[in-house]
């Protein structure tokens, strides 16, 4: 049994409900029209503001209805703009300085432990170094004393002198030098006159004097950066008289490097993979500098597009006249054909007190050995080997 319910309303109530619905509908249409009008007005204001901004009319963009327009006037905006321009210029200058510092120097002066601060082509006085030499014939001993450095170009820096005793081969045609001894003085404060007073002694036979030369480098000491050289003094011991002290007062000259060995390096360019393969094959060291129970290793650094790649090291090898490595190292470069690429091979000797630099060889597209680089570029995907001098 189903029951149906019907709601019966009077006609007046129905008409009232219909009128209320129509009223609400009209209100909704009115609200929609107002919102549409405000939207189009807002869009027109944005378009006008963009045009004025692009035309450089900054004061006209800030109107009375915005908080920025009430608080900032045209003069304040100009001041803030000038300040921002000054900050941008300062940042650009700092970036340029940083770029110059990070960019690699030419191979002739780019060394991890020895970097000169002098500029080529400047004929300026670097200072004077006083030292004395004495050879005692009976004891077969050479005595060297570093006295002082005077009128140096760098004032107020901590200085020391590095002394190397070189001996050359019997052949006059060879430029190969052997390091007999190496010393360093104490570090002193430079006050226009740096007094050292350090003395060094070594055993040396009289016939060897004519083949030996002494090199003294005045260097700046810095715990947090590389040691830069101010200048050097060289003198031969061939004219040194026995049992008589000879004092020297020599002008500092531009620092030059000595050849202490050779290294056989192979280069291979992989243009598709954008890589360069550096092969360390063999190293020739000076025979007189060979010490028993010493190990050596090589460190390879790559500089390209003013960026330094992460260095790689070889395995330890026993030191001998001819050291065979036969190791290859791969480096990724953004552009292997770049004209600003430098390969630096550094040979180190492991000692109980740490490591000591044996010598370095540099090559690349911007170095004096660019013929090796050109051969590599002409023989893509094929290794090209060549001997390079090991300098110190």
């Amino acid at each position: 049994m189903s029951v149906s319910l019907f709601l019966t309303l009077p006609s007046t109530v129905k008409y009232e409900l219909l009128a209320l619905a129509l009223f609400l509908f009209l209100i909704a249409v009115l609200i929609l029209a107002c919102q549409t009008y405000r939207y189009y007005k807002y869009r027109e204001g944005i378009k006008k503001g963009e045009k004025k901004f692009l035309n450089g009319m900054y004061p006209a963009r800030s109107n009375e209805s915005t908080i920025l327009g009430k608080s900032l006037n045209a003069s304040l905006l100009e001041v803030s703009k000038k300040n921002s321009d000054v900050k941008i210029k300062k940042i650009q200058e700092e970036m340029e300085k940083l770029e110059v510092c990070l960019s690699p120097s030419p191979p002739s002066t780019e060394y991890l432990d020895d970097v000169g601060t002098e500029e080529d082509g400047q004929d300026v006085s670097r200072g004077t170094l006083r030292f004395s030499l004495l050879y005692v014939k009976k004891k077969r001993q050479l005595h060297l004393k570093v006295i002082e450095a005077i009128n140096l170009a760098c004032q107020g820096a901590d200085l020391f002198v590095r002394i190397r005793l070189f001996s050359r081969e019997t052949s006059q045609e060879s430029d190969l030098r052997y390091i007999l001894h190496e010393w360093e003085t104490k570090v002193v404060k430079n006050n226009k006159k740096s007094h050292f007073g350090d003395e060094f002694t070594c055993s040396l036979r009289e016939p060897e004097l004519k083949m030996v030369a002494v090199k003294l480098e005045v260097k700046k000491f810095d715990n947090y950066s590389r040691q830069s050289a101010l200048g050097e003094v060289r003198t031969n011991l061939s004219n040194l008289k026995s049992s008589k002290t000879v004092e020297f007062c020599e002008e500092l000259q531009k620092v030059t490097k000595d050849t202490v060995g050779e290294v056989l390096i192979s280069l291979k360019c992989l243009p598709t993979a954008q890589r360069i393969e550096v092969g360390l094959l063999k190293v020739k060291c000076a025979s007189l500098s060979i010490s028993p129970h010493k190990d050596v290793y090589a460190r390879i650094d790559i500089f390209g597009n003013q960026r330094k790649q992460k260095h790689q090291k070889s395995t330890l090898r026993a030191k001998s006249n001819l050291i065979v490595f036969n190791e290859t190292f791969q480096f990724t470069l953004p552009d292997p054909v770049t004209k600003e690429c430098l390969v630096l091979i550094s040979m180190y000797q492991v000692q109980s007190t740490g490591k000591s630099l044996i010598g370095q060889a540099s090559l690349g597209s911007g170095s004096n050995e660019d013929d090796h680089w050109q051969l590599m570029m002409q023989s893509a995907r094929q290794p090209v080997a060549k001997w390079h001098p090991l300098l110190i």
Side-chain angles (χ1 to χ4, degrees):
M1 183 176 180
S2 60
V3 179
S4 60
L5 299 176
F6 295 95
L7 183 62
T8 57
L9 295 174
S11 300
T12 56
V13 175
K14 293 180 180 181
Y15 288 122
E16 289 177 357
L17 292 175
L18 181 60
L20 179 61
L22 290 174
F23 179 73
L24 294 175
F25 176 74
L26 291 175
I27 292 176
V29 171
L30 183 61
I31 293 173
L32 179 61
C34 293
Q35 294 295 332
T36 304
Y37 174 74
R38 292 180 62 183
Y39 172 74
Y40 281 108
K41 190 175 180 181
Y42 174 74
R43 289 291 301 273
E44 291 178 359
I46 291 178
K47 289 181 179 179
K48 291 180 181 179
E50 289 178 353
K51 291 180 180 180
K52 292 180 181 181
F53 180 75
L54 293 176
N55 292 332
M57 299 174 63
Y58 298 102
R61 189 179 179 183
S62 58
N63 50 27
E64 295 291 337
S65 61
T66 60
I67 300 176
L68 184 62
K70 295 179 182 179
S71 58
L72 293 178
N73 52 21
S75 61
L76 291 178
L77 290 175
E78 291 178 359
V79 172
S80 61
K81 185 181 177 182
K82 290 180 180 179
N83 293 335
S84 62
D85 292 340
V86 172
K87 291 181 180 179
I88 291 174
K89 288 181 180 179
K90 289 183 179 180
I91 293 174
Q92 290 177 350
E93 291 176 358
E94 293 296 331
M95 291 296 291
E96 290 177 358
K97 292 180 181 179
L98 184 60
E99 183 179 355
V100 171
C101 294
L102 293 179
S103 61
S105 304
S108 59
T109 57
E110 180 62 40
Y111 292 96
L112 296 179
D113 295 332
D114 302 293
V115 178
T117 57
E118 62 224 2
E119 297 181 1
D120 297 339
Q122 289 187 354
D123 189 10
V124 295
S125 176
R126 297 177 173 86
T128 306
L129 181 66
R130 287 183 57 208
F131 62 97
S132 64
L133 293 172
L134 170 63
Y135 181 71
V136 182
K137 184 177 180 180
K138 294 182 179 180
K139 297 183 178 180
R140 296 181 178 180
Q141 287 185 345
L142 176 68
H143 298 268
L144 185 147
K145 181 179 181 180
V146 182
I147 302 173
E148 60 182 357
I150 309 171
N151 297 327
L152 297 178
C154 181
Q155 301 296 331
D158 295 336
L159 303 175
F160 70 97
V161 179
R162 175 180 292 170
I163 305 104
R164 287 192 178 104
L165 214 60
F166 288 101
S167 176
R168 61 180 175 84
E169 287 185 332
T170 55
S171 174
Q172 298 292 336
E173 299 178 355
S174 177
D175 294 332
L176 192 63
R177 298 289 187 269
Y178 308 123
I179 301 179
L180 298 178
H181 298 280
E182 185 174 358
W183 307 289
E184 288 184 358
T185 66
K186 62 184 179 183
V187 180
V188 299
K189 190 74 174 179
N190 176 24
N191 252 335
K192 288 239 179 190
K193 181 184 289 188
S194 300
H195 183 76
F196 296 96
D198 294 342
E199 297 184 13
F200 305 95
T201 304
C202 67
S203 298
L204 196 65
R205 295 181 300 173
E206 188 175 4
E208 296 176 349
L209 289 177
K210 61 181 180 179
M211 309 295 294
V212 176
V214 60
K215 175 183 176 182
L216 300 96
E217 291 182 72
V218 180
K219 304 175 73 69
K220 289 197 302 183
F221 178 80
D222 196 334
N223 282 322
Y224 307 102
S225 65
R226 303 169 184 173
Q227 318 292 348
S228 57
L230 301 179
E232 70 169 29
V233 172
R234 292 174 182 259
T235 182
N236 295 321
L237 304 184
S238 56
N239 298 326
L240 189 63
K241 296 180 180 180
S242 61
S243 301
K244 183 178 180 181
T245 302
V246 181
E247 185 173 313
F248 298 86
C249 187
E250 302 289 339
E251 291 285 336
L252 294 177
Q253 305 297 324
K254 180 184 174 182
V255 178
T256 57
K257 301 299 176 180
D258 297 273
T259 304
V260 293
E262 290 181 301
V263 55
L264 182 60
I265 303 171
S266 69
L267 296 177
K268 183 168 70 172
C269 179
L270 305 173
T272 305
Q274 290 188 342
R275 290 184 179 180
I276 180 176
E277 187 176 281
V278 180
L280 180 64
L281 305 181
K282 299 178 182 179
V283 176
K284 292 181 181 178
C285 292
S287 59
L288 294 181
S289 62
I290 299 301
S291 301
H293 311 294
K294 296 291 184 181
D295 292 331
V296 298
Y297 70 92
R299 166 175 166 162
I300 295 89
D301 292 89
I302 298 290
F303 302 86
N305 288 341
Q306 296 182 352
R307 293 183 180 179
K308 180 179 180 296
Q309 299 287 328
K310 184 178 180 181
H311 68 270
Q312 299 185 35
K313 295 182 180 180
S314 69
T315 56
L316 288 174
R317 305 284 181 176
K319 191 174 182 181
S320 61
N321 292 336
L322 181 62
I323 309 171
V324 180
F325 284 92
N326 288 334
E327 298 183 32
T328 57
F329 309 89
Q330 287 191 355
F331 296 88
T332 302
L333 294 178
D335 185 9
V337 197
T338 178
K339 296 181 180 180
E340 299 178 358
C341 186
L342 175 71
V343 181
L344 184 66
I345 293 91
S346 306
M347 295 299 304
Y348 288 96
Q349 176 177 288
V350 180
Q351 298 177 342
S352 58
T353 57
K355 65 178 182 180
S356 63
L357 180 66
I358 299 175
Q360 293 178 314
S362 60
L363 58 114
S365 56
S367 67
N368 296 329
E369 302 292 339
D370 56 352
D371 54 345
H372 193 183
W373 190 268
Q374 294 298 329
L375 290 174
M376 177 196 69
M377 299 308 302
Q378 295 172 5
S379 307
R381 300 180 182 87
Q382 295 295 327
V384 180
K386 186 180 178 182
W387 286 96
H388 292 269
L390 203 60
L391 306 176
I392 192 171

